[in-house]
Amino acid sequence: MNQDLSAFSLIFPDGESQRRHYSGDDMPNINMFTLEELGLLELFSLKNSDLDEYFTTDTDVIKYRNEVFGDMLECPEISRTLNRLIPILTDILELRRLDNEIGDTSSYLESITEIELYISCIETLAEGFGAVRSRLTSRSLIALANRINELATSDYYKELNAKLAELTNRVREIKSVTIGVNLDSQLRPSSAGVLSINSEPFRSGDVIEKILRLNFKDDEYTCIAELVPFGKKQSENQKTALALAFNSAINDVYKQSLRSWKKIVQTYVLENTDFLLNLMPEIEFLVKATEFMRRLRERGCPLCVADIADTDERCFVANDLYNPCVALKVDDEIVANDVVFNTENALIYVLTGPNRGGKSVITCAIGIAQALTQLGMFVPAASARISVADGIYTHFPTGADDTIDKGRLGEECARLGEIFDCVTKHSLVLLDESLSSTGSFEASYIAAEILAGLSCVGCRCLFSTHLHELASEIDEINARTAPEGGSTIDTLVAGIEEGKRSFKIVRARPDGKSYARDIADKYGLSYESIMNKIKNN
């Protein structure tokens, strides 16, 4: 039997990559706040851990997980098997919690229960993976299937099943307990104990029951008076106290039997249940992530395995990129866009366009695609080539009204300043309507300073903004940062076609007047339309 059960992982290819991850060496700065701003947590969240625990910068780990998700998407039976496993593991955790609270870890009945639960785990996994084992291609799930097969066919497991059958038969044979109570001179109970454990239930001794049995002879299994009123008259405390007393007595009676197989429970069972319990957070992550991706496939949305580019390339190139969270919420056809961040074109873009023209949607789509890549998941695009980021930093609207508010402007600037405390050339920065709390003159000035700084850092950045006039300053900013080796800044536009928002993002210089003109024409507010109305009135 493999001795490295405790180090087994479904999402790390080896112990070294796992060690590096949990020591923080390969964990990027992508936190839960960022994921919430991107909208990812609304449709993909975990109960047993936080999603930000699974991000990695290790390309081998990413590729390893890509394999796992490939198998899970092609074989839905895997998710069904793992979903059946989770409540069994939860029961084991609850049983151990109760053991710790009560302090009686040698309980006969609870030890039997844990063995039953362990065998249920192995049976569930052996049946589920046995059906798909020949179809698996990922190293992770092949290793798990082999491990489960090894456990299910081992002599230890066979011995355990035989021992469990013997133990459970003994428990099933218990139908009643004979109790002896000593009384003092005033007929008050002074001590009590179990006289025998019986394979027959006691009979109530009611006259009607005797008549029905046609048996008026008293015997050792006929009750002449109830000791404790059961049923609705009995409080929960009374039920619990009585159950604990009887369980304690049964444990004492079977103490000798317990000693004979306790070693099996404490070594084989505990070791292997620990191996499965340690996988619980990973199993939940894999199942929830697969469910998220499967819903997109069922919606008809493309998914791809990103080609992981070298970190120093700092590229993010995606064809037909879309926002998966929006795709799962709306019934309309999703508009996909091509996005290119690289050193040949530009690493920083200023995205302008009309309100509700898709600026925020594409901004979040880029962040989500980067995040999913570094979770080892598939990317919501037809194809993608992406360099891993050492962090994703966001600055999105807080929901306050866009008014000239010096307090809020100060808060915005402080948050933006914090990004510069962490950002490197390998980071991804997403700014959505930043500096909307002040007038356009102040906002454009501060935005230009921020863009110049990010250019000198050399990171990838999308600055989605209502500041159309900022685009006219891009050439000046590029000229200013060029001597410092600054990366190129360019502009994107969320387009309008025939007065309607197309949600297509194009690489072009914005013309704020064209947006206004299209909207004015649509609603009959152009000068010509107004004059026609006046003349016709």
Side-chain angles (χ1 to χ4, degrees):
M1 186 168 55
N2 196 308
Q3 297 301 312
D4 295 327
L5 289 174
S6 61
F8 185 83
S9 171
L10 292 170
I11 60 175
F12 294 101
D14 50 54
E16 176 60 19
S17 62
Q18 191 173 5
R19 184 201 64 77
R20 286 182 56 82
H21 179 82
Y22 288 111
S23 67
D25 293 341
D26 294 330
M27 291 186 72
N29 191 349
I30 306 174
N31 57 40
M32 297 296 282
F33 176 77
T34 295
L35 299 180
E36 185 175 0
E37 288 211 311
L38 293 174
L40 190 58
L41 297 182
E42 187 176 347
L43 294 174
F44 177 23
S45 59
L46 306 175
K47 292 182 179 178
N48 295 313
S49 56
D50 289 330
L51 190 57
D52 61 358
E53 297 174 23
Y54 299 98
F55 289 105
T56 181
T57 58
D58 188 329
T59 57
D60 289 335
V61 172
I62 292 173
K63 293 173 183 177
Y64 189 75
R65 295 179 188 176
N66 287 161
E67 295 175 8
V68 181
F69 286 122
D71 273 348
M72 293 186 70
L73 284 169
E74 293 304 315
C75 303
E77 304 95 320
I78 298 172
S79 290
R80 289 197 289 268
T81 295
L82 296 177
N83 272 325
R84 288 197 298 270
L85 179 68
I86 289 174
I88 304 173
L89 295 176
T90 302
D91 286 344
I92 293 176
L93 285 174
E94 180 64 14
L95 186 67
R96 291 190 179 182
R97 185 186 67 80
L98 291 173
D99 272 351
N100 291 333
E101 287 183 1
I102 296 171
D104 183 11
T105 56
S106 63
S107 167
Y108 181 79
L109 296 177
E110 289 175 357
S111 295
I112 291 176
T113 302
E114 178 151 356
I115 295 175
E116 288 179 319
L117 291 171
Y118 168 70
I119 288 176
S120 293
C121 288
I122 299 302
E123 287 178 347
T124 298
L125 289 170
E127 178 185 353
F129 279 93
V132 299
R133 193 175 175 192
S134 62
R135 295 155 56 193
L136 299 177
T137 59
S138 64
R139 291 167 287 169
S140 171
L141 295 181
I142 289 173
L144 178 61
N146 290 340
R147 183 67 51 81
I148 295 303
N149 182 64
E150 176 188 342
L151 292 172
T153 58
S154 68
D155 291 337
Y156 291 96
Y157 186 71
K158 293 174 184 176
E159 179 186 352
L160 195 64
N161 268 294
K163 196 71 177 177
L164 179 64
E166 175 190 337
L167 296 171
T168 52
N169 282 337
R170 289 190 185 184
V171 173
R172 290 192 187 101
E173 289 172 359
I174 300 174
K175 302 299 182 185
S176 66
V177 175
T178 302
I179 297 175
V181 180
N182 291 324
L183 307 176
D184 62 15
S185 57
Q186 272 112 32
L187 301 182
R188 292 176 302 191
S190 59
S191 60
V194 173
L195 300 182
S196 65
I197 293 177
N198 312 311
S199 58
E200 290 185 43
F202 79 85
R203 293 179 283 277
S204 69
D206 291 345
V207 173
I208 292 178
E209 183 175 321
K210 289 184 178 182
I211 293 173
L212 291 175
R213 288 174 178 273
L214 300 178
N215 179 8
F216 291 87
K217 181 180 178 181
D218 292 333
D219 59 38
E220 58 182 319
Y221 294 109
T222 300
C223 177
I224 58 176
E226 286 190 351
L227 183 63
V228 177
F230 281 82
K232 294 182 179 179
K233 296 180 181 179
Q234 191 180 30
S235 70
E236 287 300 319
N237 286 340
Q238 287 176 311
K239 291 178 184 178
T240 302
L242 198 60
L244 288 174
F246 287 154
N247 285 344
S248 178
I250 291 171
N251 287 332
D252 286 342
V253 171
Y254 287 102
K255 192 173 290 183
Q256 189 60 39
S257 297
L258 183 65
R259 290 196 189 100
S260 67
W261 52 272
K262 187 175 179 181
K263 185 177 181 181
I264 297 176
V265 177
Q266 290 187 332
T267 56
Y268 179 82
V269 175
L270 293 182
E271 177 183 343
N272 289 292
T273 49
D274 284 347
F275 143 65
L276 293 170
L277 290 172
N278 289 340
L279 293 180
M280 267 191 75
E282 293 185 1
I283 288 172
E284 185 195 20
F285 164 63
L286 292 174
V287 169
K288 289 287 185 69
T290 302
E291 177 187 349
F292 177 75
M293 291 186 288
R294 182 168 286 116
R295 289 174 61 197
L296 289 169
R297 276 196 171 180
E298 291 171 352
R299 174 78 167 75
C301 300
L303 288 169
C304 71
V305 176
D307 177 20
I308 306 301
D310 185 84
T311 304
D312 286 332
E313 284 189 39
R314 294 171 287 165
C315 78
F316 182 105
V317 179
N319 297 316
D320 290 336
L321 176 72
Y322 62 93
N323 187 316
C325 298
V326 174
L328 293 176
K329 289 180 184 177
V330 302
D331 296 326
D332 299 333
E333 183 179 353
I334 299 300
V335 177
N337 283 284
D338 296 341
V339 178
V340 179
F341 290 81
N342 57 28
T343 53
E344 289 77 25
N345 292 275
L347 289 175
I348 299 175
Y349 289 99
V350 175
L351 171 61
T352 56
N355 290 334
R356 302 185 183 279
K359 299 193 302 295
S360 296
V361 171
I362 194 65
T363 302
C364 289
I366 292 168
I368 291 171
Q370 184 76 46
L372 296 183
T373 297
Q374 294 188 227
L375 287 171
M377 295 171 62
F378 290 10
V379 175
S383 64
R385 177 175 172 79
I386 299 174
S387 299
V388 298
D390 60 9
I392 299 177
Y393 304 100
T394 56
H395 185 275
F396 287 6
T398 60
D401 292 334
D402 290 339
T403 57
I404 298 176
D405 183 332
K406 298 302 182 182
R408 186 178 162 215
L409 175 61
E411 182 182 347
E412 280 198 281
C413 290
R415 283 187 58 204
L416 288 164
E418 289 172 1
I419 292 176
F420 283 98
D421 292 334
C422 308
V423 69
T424 76
K425 68 177 183 178
H426 297 130
S427 304
L428 173 64
V429 178
L430 301 170
L431 310 176
D432 185 25
E433 299 295 357
S434 297
L435 305 171
S436 59
S437 61
T438 188
S440 61
F441 177 81
E442 289 175 309
S444 295
Y445 176 84
I446 299 172
E449 298 296 292
I450 290 170
L451 288 172
L454 293 173
S455 170
C456 291
V457 171
C459 63
R460 288 159 286 176
C461 172
L462 181 66
F463 194 144
S464 167
T465 181
H466 63 291
L467 302 170
H468 299 285
E469 60 271 29
L470 183 62
S472 62
E473 300 181 41
I474 296 302
D475 290 339
E476 181 182 339
I477 298 171
N478 281 329
R480 176 183 176 187
T481 60
E484 304 295 331
S487 56
T488 303
I489 305 172
D490 205 344
T491 56
L492 299 173
V493 174
I496 281 187
E497 297 175 1
E498 298 179 354
K500 295 181 179 179
R501 293 167 175 80
S502 66
F503 303 107
K504 294 297 291 186
I505 308 299
V506 296
R507 190 177 179 188
R509 289 296 171 98
D511 178 4
K513 290 181 181 179
S514 67
Y515 303 136
R517 185 165 53 248
D518 286 336
I519 294 171
D521 287 341
K522 178 181 178 181
Y523 291 100
L525 295 176
S526 66
Y527 176 77
E528 292 80 5
S529 298
I530 293 171
M531 291 305 297
N532 285 333
K533 284 184 180 181
I534 293 172
K535 290 176 182 178
N536 293 330
N537 285 341

